[in-house]
Amino acid sequence: MRAFRVIYLALLVGMLSVNVTSAASPIRQLTSAVDSSNLRPTWSADGKRIAYQSNRDGSYHIYVMNANGSDTKQISSGADTDDRHPAWSPDGSSIAVDSGDATHREIWIIDVGSQRRTQVTKTGAIASFTSCSPEGLCIA
C-alpha cells in the first residue's frame, strides 16, 4: 500500500509541474536566422516594439519590429557601419547605439522615423552599451 501512495504522489507532483511549466512558457520565436545572428532585443517603453541587432547583411545593423514580430524595418545600414546594443528613448522616437569597429566605438542616436543619425560622443576609443534615463537623456 505504501508503494502505491509513493507512486500516486510522484504522478501527482509530475502532473502539477507539467501544468505550471506549460502555463508559464508562451515562448514565440519572432525572428529566423539561417546564416546570421539576431541579438540584444530590447522593448520600447510602451511595450509595442522591439529593437535588436542583426548581421543578416554582413555588419550589425539595428532592426525594429512590432511586439508580435510583424512589420520588421531596418533602421541602420551601410557597409562601413556596425551598430550594436540598441537602447530606446523613453518616448520611442529614437534609439541609441554604439557604432564603429573593434578599436573605436562611438555613441549615436538614430531617429526611428527618419533614420537620421546623430553622433553623441567623440572619444576616439570605445564608448558602448548606452542606456537612456527616464527624462530621455542617453548616457554611455
Side-chain angles (χ1 to χ4, degrees), residues 19-30:
N19 289 337
V20 170
T21 302
S22 64
S25 183
I27 296 172
R28 283 188 49 212
Q29 182 175 344
L30 299 178

Side-chain angles (χ1 to χ4, degrees), residues 1-16:
M1 185 69 163
R2 181 174 178 177
F4 177 72
R5 286 183 185 161
V6 170
I7 292 171
Y8 178 75
L9 182 60
L11 288 173
L12 181 62
V13 168
M15 287 190 310
L16 290 175

Side-chain angles (χ1 to χ4, degrees), residues 50-124:
I50 301 168
Y52 62 98
Q53 68 188 56
S54 178
N55 65 349
R56 65 184 71 171
D57 62 354
S59 297
Y60 279 102
H61 294 118
I62 305 302
Y63 292 78
V64 173
M65 67 179 159
N66 291 334
N68 66 3
S70 67
D71 198 25
T72 299
K73 292 182 178 151
Q74 183 175 352
I75 66 163
S76 74
S77 61
D80 61 338
T81 304
D82 181 58
D83 294 328
R84 300 180 187 213
H85 313 114
W88 286 95
S89 64
D91 66 2
S93 66
S94 60
I95 295 175
V97 300
D98 56 86
S99 184
D101 58 31
T103 58
H104 298 92
R105 299 195 73 74
E106 301 292 348
I107 304 301
W108 293 73
I109 304 293
I110 302 172
D111 181 273
V112 175
S114 70
Q115 300 175 11
R116 188 182 66 232
R117 300 170 63 91
T118 304
Q119 188 171 355
V120 176
T121 63
K122 293 185 181 183
T123 65

